[in-house]
Amino acid sequence: MLVSKTLLEVKNLKQYFPVKSGFKTIPLKAVDDVSFTINEGETLGLVGESGCGKTTVGRTLLHLYEPTAGEIIFDGEKVTKKNINRMRKKMQMVFQDPYSSLDPRMTVEDIIGEPLDVHKLYSNRKERREKVLELMNYVGLNSEHATRYAHEFSGGQRQRIGIARALAVDPKFIVCDEPVSALDVSIQAQVINMFEDLQAKLGVAYLFIAHDLLVVHHISKRIAVMYLGKIVEIADSDDLNANPLHPYTQSLLSAIPIPDPNITRSRKRIVLEGDVPSPLNMPTGCAFRTRCPYATEQCAKECPTLTDRGNGHMVACFNK
Amino acid sequence: MNKNPEYPKKKFLSAQIDLSKFAPATEEEKRQQDVMSESVTFFKDGMRRLFKNPLAVISIVLLSIVILTIIIAPMIVPYGYEEMLSVNGRRDKGAKNLAPFEYSEAEQKFIEEGGERFPHIFGTDEQCRDYFIRVVYGTRISLVVGIFASLIVLIIGMLIGSISGYFGGKVDLIIMRIVDIIYSLPDMLIIILLSVVLNEAIKFKPGTILADLGSNMISIFIVFGCLYWVSMARLIRGQILSIKENEYILAARSIGAKPGRIIRTHILPNCLSVIIISTALQVPSAIFTESYLSFIGLGVKAPMPSLGSLANAARSGLQSYPHKLIFPAIVICLIVLSLNLLGDGLRDAFDPKLKK
């Protein structure tokens, strides 16, 4: 297989939010030292439970939040505050909630055409309209929908509008922030298949954020697992599914319902003890040690780093 | 009932499922599912509901009558607001304090001789001026003051409110403290002080509109501009704070839209209803302020009338000529009442939470 070019490289990305408690200001470590790469036309899945910083990673990549530290290198160029507007022509985002991510006062044509307006990608009204109709055609919307308002559509259709808006600038990379979690299962399948079709047709790369492992496994080539602002495991999606190394990944995978009673009866569900620690008051050493069945003294002292266990399977754990 | 004969008819009392209910829909039936109604914009929908509200419709009709009158009346009535009545080129000294539709002796003689004389609909005042045209001009002034003052408030309030709300943080903190300070100033006192100071400081070229209005009017505008924007700014800031949490604002930022564009195309259209309503309610309050300032003698400069100064002038002869107080008072009431009702109607029509 051809080794494709690295499109996006994230190095030691940190995103701390100041939280006021009384007179002190404590940093909330939403994303703490995250590094990964995405190749051209590839999909990286990002999973983790609610509040672990997945969405923050996605938003920080597009500089919707100014990163506290770390580097984002896109297409060989460092993304900074200065060149972000140019970068936003190549990087786009699809949002989680299709109900609040579309302006209720705009027609579909204006919503999809807005990126074209912002980056001045057309010379006259006719060209703009043609481009919008082409985009609507890409995502399976009829041209007669162009004059309607967002509230006249169903959730799946709204998400298609959001995707068309992201595609308008012809990006190389799209952050998909839980794009299907607000949709019905049957609609989820349609939208995910559409993501795959678009990738095959246009060659865009995705960072696919979700908390549904099955969805992520279906669409991604590689999967990164996050826990409390850190990536604990990155591997090829089949490899991760068959051979999870980090105890957190193991417990996540064991929680996936399998529609076969025989398998379900025989397999063991790994139930984690306790709750997720508050990100304001993180445990020392490994963040997962408070709930880890294999925790040792070393885990409390040092923080494990991602190490390669062969074949690109990276795990941050001392014991596995 | 059974349109498709190929499906067997269900027997009475049989537990069998009626197969005809599962027949594929015909083309005609499919068309019933099509959405036939036109796509309705938020604005059109609000307008439709506004016109269903009887109070709002009455107030719109009243306002249109008042506005049409003040536009058309000066073209029809042959008297000027500062013109003392005269018959055949000679001043008519007997036309003082006439009752409505009454003619002076000189005028009656003139009519008997075959002349045409336009009736004094509201009578005349003590300086032999036609009272109707004075009330019409007074209404003009009051409405213009009301609308301009509200526009000044709207523009300043919208600008500062949206900056404060959108950027938040330190900018917001500073602006809101300034707002707090301005809130704590007694506005009447400032208007009186300013009008005294401006009277000395500003000398307008005679004959211009500004000079006709007088420094008191200008000071009312300045005070409205300086003081009354705060409530509008607070209102808009609050709206923006809630609107900017929506994901479509984040989406616009991720597209690369600049703050000015986001405020213009996403935030302000979404709080438009609140802006329209509070502006509509601001107009009567400005008219009120102008009226009572004129009433205590700080309003427009004589001989330019305003509703408040007309009422003030009528006070001295209240027992003999009560109609001179009643006419401007009725007009003030009509304008303020109908604007308030219209504002209420607008709020009900555009508030999505009150939608039935």
Side-chain angles (χ1 to χ4, degrees):
Chain A
M1 194 184 139
L2 248 156
V3 180
S4 51
K5 214 177 116 202
T6 304
L7 182 69
L8 178 88
E9 191 174 3
V10 177
K11 282 185 198 161
N12 306 90
L13 187 71
K14 287 180 188 172
Q15 177 67 58
Y16 297 169
F17 295 112
V19 174
K20 276 190 186 136
S21 76
F23 289 102
K24 281 187 294 182
T25 304
I26 310 171
L28 186 151
K29 298 180 179 178
V31 176
D32 197 7
D33 215 351
V34 163
S35 306
F36 57 88
T37 58
I38 296 176
N39 293 338
E40 269 176 8
E42 184 198 56
T43 305
L44 175 71
L46 188 60
V47 288
E49 60 198 277
S50 304
C52 74
K54 311 183 294 284
T55 299
T56 312
V57 169
R59 291 184 181 176
T60 309
L61 287 185
L62 274 115
H63 267 240
L64 290 175
Y65 304 137
E66 188 74 15
T68 313
E71 277 186 349
I72 303 159
I73 296 161
F74 182 82
D75 218 1
E77 200 175 344
K78 199 180 163 198
V79 179
T80 59
K81 208 177 172 181
K82 274 183 190 150
N83 67 10
I84 184 63
N85 268 341
R86 191 158 46 84
M87 285 300 186
R88 280 178 182 154
K89 260 192 200 173
K90 299 178 195 163
M91 287 199 278
Q92 276 295 317
M93 187 153 182
V94 174
F95 290 84
Q96 174 178 9
D97 182 358
Y99 293 89
S100 80
S101 63
L102 305 176
D103 188 337
R105 292 294 178 79
M106 286 171 109
T107 60
V108 170
E109 187 178 348
D110 285 335
I111 290 172
I112 300 176
E114 197 183 11
L116 304 173
D117 296 341
V118 169
H119 296 289
K120 300 185 180 64
L121 294 177
Y122 57 88
S123 48
N124 52 38
R125 300 289 302 176
K126 203 176 153 234
E127 201 186 329
R128 178 180 189 257
R129 192 169 168 80
E130 274 167 13
K131 279 194 175 172
V132 169
L133 290 182
E134 190 192 337
L135 285 162
M136 288 177 70
N137 187 29
Y138 267 152
V139 295
L141 290 167
N142 292 334
S143 53
E144 68 218 40
H145 291 152
T147 52
R148 301 237 188 115
Y149 288 81
H151 65 86
E152 296 170 60
F153 291 92
S154 66
Q157 284 174 313
R158 283 162 155 259
Q159 200 58 286
R160 286 165 193 264
I161 298 168
I163 295 163
R165 171 174 62 188
L167 288 172
V169 292
D170 201 6
K172 284 182 170 179
F173 173 61
I174 299 179
V175 175
C176 307
D177 183 7
E178 307 201 27
V180 295
S181 61
L183 306 177
D184 281 349
V185 180
S186 57
I187 310 294
Q188 280 190 5
Q190 288 177 14
V191 173
I192 287 168
N193 289 337
M194 197 182 72
F195 271 116
E196 289 187 321
D197 291 346
L198 289 171
Q199 187 166 48
K201 214 189 279 175
L202 307 169
V204 279
Y206 297 130
L207 174 69
F208 200 92
I209 301 169
H211 50 233
D212 187 337
L213 266 169
L214 278 178
V215 167
V216 172
H217 180 224
H218 177 76
I219 196 169
S220 316
K221 188 169 160 286
R222 287 187 305 136
I223 298 179
V225 182
M226 270 186 92
Y227 183 78
L228 270 182
K230 287 193 172 74
I231 289 183
V232 293
E233 189 163 2
I234 301 183
D236 263 28
S237 63
D238 291 330
D239 192 12
L240 186 94
N241 225 27
N243 182 24
L245 291 178
H246 197 281
Y248 180 62
T249 318
Q250 287 170 353
S251 87
L252 276 185
L253 285 170
S254 81
I256 298 174
I258 294 171
D260 183 342
N262 292 327
I263 298 175
T264 309
R265 268 185 220 117
S266 61
R267 76 175 178 156
K268 211 178 121 221
R269 169 98 157 78
I270 306 169
V271 181
L272 293 174
E273 301 277 320
D275 281 329
V276 188
S278 158
L280 280 174
N281 185 18
M282 294 260 259
T284 56
C286 175
F288 188 59
R289 74 175 163 86
T290 50
R291 303 170 75 189
C292 182
Y294 312 103
T296 58
E297 267 179 41
Q298 191 197 8
C299 298
K301 282 174 195 152
E302 294 169 56
C303 187
T305 50
L306 278 175
T307 47
D308 201 334
R309 306 290 160 92
N311 217 0
H313 195 139
M314 314 252 278
V315 183
C317 188
F318 294 121
N319 305 312
K320 280 283 164 175
Chain B
M1 219 24 232
N2 198 350
K3 278 176 280 179
N4 304 56
E6 64 259 38
Y7 297 100
K9 201 174 176 190
K10 176 179 164 310
K11 292 217 173 63
F12 185 62
L13 288 182
S14 144
Q16 192 199 343
I17 294 168
D18 186 0
L19 282 176
S20 65
K21 284 186 178 160
F22 293 87
T26 59
E27 283 304 314
E28 194 188 337
E29 282 166 331
K30 278 181 190 163
R31 239 171 286 139
Q32 289 176 354
Q33 297 293 319
D34 285 351
V35 182
M36 296 299 279
S37 78
E38 228 179 284
S39 151
V40 179
T41 65
F42 185 82
F43 186 72
K44 272 187 202 155
D45 190 40
M47 279 316 207
R48 207 190 56 213
R49 269 182 291 152
L50 182 70
F51 281 106
K52 276 185 185 163
N53 182 345
L55 278 178
V57 173
I58 291 172
S59 58
I60 290 173
V61 170
L62 273 179
L63 272 180
S64 339
I65 291 173
V66 169
I67 289 170
L68 278 179
T69 311
I70 61 173
I71 292 172
I72 294 171
M75 301 176 194
I76 296 172
V77 181
Y79 312 118
Y81 69 92
E82 49 183 350
E83 174 200 342
M84 296 178 195
L85 294 176
S86 53
V87 181
N88 283 336
R90 286 180 55 212
R91 257 199 77 189
D92 181 8
K93 285 188 181 144
K96 200 187 270 184
N97 289 328
L98 293 178
F101 290 103
E102 195 189 324
Y103 287 113
S104 69
E105 281 172 24
E107 281 173 327
Q108 267 166 347
K109 225 173 123 193
F110 178 69
I111 294 167
E112 274 163 24
E113 282 166 6
E116 289 260 325
R117 195 75 178 155
F118 199 85
H120 307 299
I121 299 169
F122 289 175
T124 56
D125 70 356
E126 61 204 0
Q127 283 173 305
C128 311
R129 292 177 292 201
D130 185 77
Y131 203 55
F132 176 67
I133 202 75
R134 283 186 71 71
V135 171
V136 164
Y137 269 91
T139 315
R140 266 190 175 186
I141 293 293
S142 292
L143 263 183
V144 165
V145 168
I147 289 167
F148 267 96
S150 318
L151 281 182
I152 293 172
V153 165
L154 173 69
I155 291 166
I156 298 178
M158 202 160 77
L159 207 69
I160 295 180
S162 40
I163 290 170
S164 170
Y166 185 76
F167 292 101
K170 285 210 176 79
V171 181
D172 185 34
L173 193 82
I174 292 167
I175 291 178
M176 281 303 118
R177 290 302 78 74
I178 294 173
V179 165
D180 287 343
I181 291 168
I182 291 175
Y183 243 116
S184 59
L185 296 174
D187 42 353
M188 257 315 111
L189 195 66
I190 304 247
I191 295 179
I192 293 168
L193 285 175
L194 263 179
S195 63
V196 172
V197 173
L198 285 175
N199 227 346
E200 297 300 312
I202 312 173
K203 288 279 178 281
F204 299 112
K205 214 186 266 172
T208 57
I209 304 165
L210 285 177
D212 280 352
L213 281 173
S215 61
N216 289 332
M217 255 330 57
I218 307 301
S219 76
I220 289 178
F221 284 141
I222 291 176
V223 168
F224 262 98
C226 297
L227 298 184
Y228 283 72
W229 58 268
V230 286
S231 49
M232 180 70 85
R234 271 196 179 169
L235 190 82
I236 289 173
R237 169 184 173 264
Q239 283 289 312
I240 287 180
L241 282 183
S242 69
I243 287 170
K244 90 173 175 177
E245 292 306 313
N246 280 311
E247 250 180 2
Y248 57 80
I249 304 298
L250 204 65
R253 283 179 55 207
S254 80
I255 285 166
K258 299 207 167 55
R261 186 193 160 85
I262 294 176
I263 291 177
R264 259 185 303 116
T265 62
H266 295 288
I267 294 180
L268 286 183
N270 279 297
C271 56
L272 198 65
S273 54
V274 178
I275 294 174
I276 294 174
I277 293 150
S278 54
T279 311
L281 292 175
Q282 189 78 51
V283 177
S285 108
I287 291 177
F288 245 44
T289 312
E290 189 279 327
S291 294
Y292 66 65
L293 277 173
S294 295
F295 189 79
I296 59 172
L298 287 167
V300 288
K301 213 169 85 189
M304 182 68 99
S306 91
L307 293 175
S309 64
L310 288 175
N312 184 35
R315 208 166 37 121
S316 49
L318 188 58
Q319 286 186 327
S320 322
Y321 315 106
H323 63 271
K324 290 209 293 188
L325 180 61
I326 289 170
F327 289 128
I330 285 178
V331 178
I332 294 180
C333 289
L334 277 184
I335 293 174
V336 173
L337 185 70
S338 51
L339 277 170
N340 271 322
L341 288 177
L342 181 63
D344 275 354
L346 281 173
R347 190 189 54 214
D348 292 352
F350 282 98
D351 192 343
K353 282 173 208 134
L354 292 171
K355 202 171 179 176
K356 277 165 204 134

